[in-house]
Amino acid sequence: QVQLVESGGGLVQAGDSLRLSCAASGRTFSVYTVGWFRQAPGKEREFVAAITRSGDSAYYADSVKGRFTISRDNAKNTVYLQMNSLKPEDTAIYYCAARPRAQLATTQADFSSWGQGTQVTVSS
């Protein structure tokens, strides 16, 4: 298992940007594909984005496509989520998750390691 710690959340206004970080420790990070999920109050956790082991490919939920960018730096054992043009509906707890597989995935059950989450609040 790999241990994950998210950071970078906060309170921003609509239209602002934030960059979330997911720092990993434990086993070799480069063998894991990584995803970001989010959970808004009263809603189920949903997929946001995922990135391959090498970082050469990514996949996004339609709701964030064109506004969010996922990237990784394996030398730093860190995955990032750059969030631009934030909207109030992006308000949620954001979680990063990892799976020791090459294929991208979008379902929570496909990920075996999870962080504790970081709160993002976007005011209108």
Side-chain angles (χ1 to χ4, degrees):
Q1 294 284 348
V2 63
Q3 290 75 47
L4 305 172
V5 178
E6 303 95 333
S7 62
L11 172 63
V12 297
Q13 293 186 331
D16 285 351
S17 298
L18 272 178
R19 188 177 78 160
L20 305 183
S21 298
C22 173
S25 60
R27 298 190 61 184
T28 305
F29 187 54
S30 60
V31 306
Y32 291 83
T33 61
V34 177
W36 283 96
F37 291 77
R38 66 186 182 185
Q39 187 167 18
K43 295 187 177 181
E44 293 186 354
R45 192 173 301 186
E46 65 177 3
F47 169 79
V48 175
I51 191 165
T52 53
R53 292 170 166 176
S54 65
D56 62 347
S57 183
Y59 185 76
Y60 299 91
D62 287 344
S63 59
V64 306
K65 200 172 297 183
R67 299 188 298 123
F68 291 11
T69 303
I70 188 171
S71 62
R72 67 189 297 163
D73 184 342
N74 286 337
K76 297 182 177 180
N77 285 1
T78 303
V79 169
Y80 304 98
L81 185 68
Q82 178 66 43
M83 306 186 295
N84 299 330
S85 303
L86 282 162
K87 305 174 180 180
E89 51 263 44
D90 294 318
T91 295
I93 299 174
Y94 283 71
Y95 300 89
C96 67
R99 66 191 300 262
R101 298 289 187 271
Q103 296 82 11
L104 289 175
T106 62
T107 304
Q108 294 181 62
D110 290 323
F111 291 84
S112 54
S113 299
W114 290 81
Q116 83 291 344
T118 185
Q119 176 72 48
V120 172
T121 304
V122 184
S123 64
S124 59

